[in-house]
């Protein structure tokens, strides 16, 4: 059986898409989770893009141990030097070099001839190889490139030392049959291809990113580039969870396997969604809330008799928590730890203490605590996230609030906040109750945060469910964007904490 490597680019191609940006500590949390998930390669960023990107790649390179850490670089010495500086301390560093090979890109973007492109590939791959043993070369817009020329580009890259060649469908234009045919063609026409990994990188503009990637696996690709929840430029990249579960569920067809611990998929997906504040569509395959829900009577009847009637995967293998009632007001720490462990959360005693306190508080507000409640407590509030954020622990927290939102009177908010050991409070008026509260917070903390987007939704079941607020803010002075999330059974409290969490991130970055 063939082993397919999973190259995760959530922190590069995913993170560069609008609304998906992460700060350093959040990237480290994701990188560590990707390591637990079992990906083979993490593309940690594009080191030359900004000093922050460089620092992220460098920090991730020394934060993970077993997996390969790659930085993207254009085909020039400055980019390559910067990428190498950022990844060189990783146990397994990789430089990921790219240059466009389609006529439209060469003519209008690069303004280079085919000859110049071929020569640059040889020279820059050799230059990167003089620094790093593991070199990936990507032919940007490969799927719209002339095939014969593309084969020559890859042959040059291999001759100069590339150990992986990547075939991107950069604009998501190809069909599965075309991508599969292209891989078969390259297998026959690229010199030295048998000695390197053949990778694919498919965007999802026509909704075929996953299907295109799988067609390439069938045709012989040995590496797939993808992102958690399919985040990425425009319509996103091929989704990691869909590719991995297709290969696993249809092993009979693909005759392939990956190194992914599929029980970590659900947690990885939730963690990312929580950090970037981008909810997962209920019908998203594998990780959507409805992926294993059976509504129709006939289906329910079939599943009760035998799950295989309507379920092609077992939710347990993806780590989907059981929705059944699990704990109540009188449950102890032992039961809580056991339940969290079955949900994939390894917690130490201090973290258990923290979650237990929150659990008891929640149990006073809610009749029953389900796995979804526990997941919300753990992901959104718990010591697990806070510990991994290390020095960037939350600095401000909402203590209490009183808001007048009556139609006749002006909207006034009073908010009390704890900043480190200090208690601050303030009052403001606004166009609406939350506008008033956010203004009061800005005045108190001396920030210039501007609200860009705001949403609230129930993240657990029942009328006493937990509400999650996601607040996107920007700094008026720097133009930078930040996402804050907050949860509570009181949605006003969730909203205020989300706003303050966004500001905490703003403070963290300015340190
Ligand atoms: O989509 C693309 O072509 C890329 C390359 C840089 C690999 O992201
Ligand atoms: Zn891409």
């Amino acid at each position: 059986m063939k082993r397919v490597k999973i190259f995760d680019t959530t922190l590069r191609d995913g993170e560069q898409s609008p609304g998906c940006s992460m700060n350093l500590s959040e990237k480290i949390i994701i990188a560590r989770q990707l390591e637990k998930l079992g990906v083979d390669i993490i593309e940690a960023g594009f080191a030359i893009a900004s000093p922050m990107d460089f620092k992220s790649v460098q920090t991730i390179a020394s934060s993970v141990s077993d997996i390969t850490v790659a930085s993207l670089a254009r085909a020039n010495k400055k980019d390559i030097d910067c990428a190498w500086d950022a990844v060189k301390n990783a146990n397994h560093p990789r430089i990921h070099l790219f240059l466009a090979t389609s006529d439209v890109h060469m003519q209008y973007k690069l303004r280079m001839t085919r000859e110049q492109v071929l020569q640059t590939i040889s020279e820059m791959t050799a230059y990167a190889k003089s620094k790093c043993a593991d070199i990936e070369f990507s032919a940007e817009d490969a799927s719209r490139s002339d095939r014969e020329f593309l084969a020559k580009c890859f042959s040059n890259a291999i001759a100069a030392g590339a150990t992986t060649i990547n075939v991107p469908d950069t604009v998501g234009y190809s069909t599965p049959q075309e991508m599969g045919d292209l891989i078969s063609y390259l297998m026959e026409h690229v010199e030295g291809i048998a000695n390197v990994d053949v990778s694919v990188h498919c965007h999802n503009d026509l909704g075929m990113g996953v299907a295109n990637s799988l067609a390439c696996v069938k045709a012989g690709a040995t590496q797939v580039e993808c992102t958690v929840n399919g985040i990425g430029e425009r319509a996103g990249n091929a989704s990691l969870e869909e590719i991995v579960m297709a290969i696993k569920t249809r092993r009979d067809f693909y005759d392939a396997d990956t190194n992914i611990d599929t029980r970590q998929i659900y947690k990885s997906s939730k963690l990312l969604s929580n950090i970037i504040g981008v909810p997962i569509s209920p019908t998203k395959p594998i990780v959507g809330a409805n992926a294993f829900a059976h509504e129709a009577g006939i289906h329910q009847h079939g599943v009760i008799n035998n799950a295989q009637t309507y379920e092609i995967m077992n939710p347990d293998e993806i780590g989907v928590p059981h929705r059944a009632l699990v704990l109540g007001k009188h449950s102890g720490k032992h039961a809580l730890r056991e339940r969290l462990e079955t949900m994939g959360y390894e917690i130490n005693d201090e973290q258990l203490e923290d979650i237990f306190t929150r659990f008891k508080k929640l149990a006073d507000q809610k009749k029953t605590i389900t796995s979804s409640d526990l997941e919300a407590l753990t992901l959104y509030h718990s010591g697990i996230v806070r510990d991994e954020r290390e020095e960037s622990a939350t600095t401000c927290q909402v203590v209490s609030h009183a808001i007048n939102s009556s139609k006749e009177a002006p909207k006034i908010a009073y908010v009390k906040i704890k900043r480190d050991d200090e208690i601050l409070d303030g009052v403001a008026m606004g166009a609406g109750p939350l506008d008033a509260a956010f203004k009061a917070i800005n005045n108190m903390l001396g920030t210039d945060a501007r609200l860009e987007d705001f949403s609230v939704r129930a993240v657990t079941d029942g009328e006493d469910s937990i509400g999650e607020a996601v607040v996107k803010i920007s700094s008026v002075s720097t133009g930078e964007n930040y996402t804050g999330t907050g949860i509570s059974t009181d949605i006003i409290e969730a909203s205020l904490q989300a706003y303050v969490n966004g500001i905490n991130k703003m403070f963290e970055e300015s340190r």
Side-chain angles (χ1 to χ4, degrees), residues 320-342:
V320 178
H322 291 261
R323 299 262 164 237
L325 305 183
V326 284
L327 298 169
K329 202 171 171 163
H330 303 291
S331 306
K333 272 185 214 160
H334 186 72
L336 177 65
R337 162 167 271 158
E338 214 170 66
R339 188 65 214 156
L340 286 170
E341 280 175 358
T342 61

Side-chain angles (χ1 to χ4, degrees), residues 12-13 201 203 237:
R12 198 276 298 169
D13 219 336
H201 175 114
H203 279 268
N237 287 62

Side-chain angles (χ1 to χ4, degrees), residues 457-505:
R457 65 191 184 105
V459 285
T460 62
D461 303 329
E463 55 200 20
D464 53 1
S465 75
I466 291 182
E468 176 204 58
V470 178
V471 166
K472 304 215 173 198
I473 56 170
S474 65
S475 158
V476 174
S477 50
T478 65
E480 290 294 321
N481 294 304
Y482 305 90
T483 301
T485 50
I487 59 153
S488 172
T489 47
D490 169 347
I491 56 167
I492 300 286
E493 186 179 292
S495 309
L496 301 191
Q497 191 55 52
Y499 192 79
V500 167
N501 283 342
I503 292 177
N504 282 332
K505 288 189 195 170

Side-chain angles (χ1 to χ4, degrees), residues 12-13 72 96 98 138 140-141 166 168-170 201 203 225:
R12 198 276 298 169
D13 219 336
L72 189 66
H96 178 192
F98 76 101
S138 283
E140 192 188 10
D141 208 16
N166 182 36
D169 182 25
T170 301
H201 175 114
H203 279 268
E225 303 197 353

Side-chain angles (χ1 to χ4, degrees), residues 21-30 32 270-277 351 378-395 483-486 497-498 500-502 504-506 508 511:
S21 57
M22 289 171 247
N23 64 23
L24 177 58
S25 44
E26 291 167 335
K27 286 182 186 172
I28 295 168
I29 294 170
I30 294 295
R32 290 193 177 139
K270 279 278 178 183
L271 187 63
L272 179 71
S273 161
N274 169 245
I275 282 179
I276 60 178
Q351 289 165 336
T378 311
L379 278 177
Y380 294 71
H381 266 326
S382 82
I384 294 174
V385 171
R386 217 168 330 113
D387 268 13
E388 290 185 8
R389 287 183 187 196
E390 287 151 4
E391 79 281 10
S392 62
T394 303
T395 51
T483 301
T485 50
Q497 191 55 52
V500 167
N501 283 342
N504 282 332
K505 288 189 195 170
M506 199 188 265
E508 187 190 330
R511 260 182 218 161

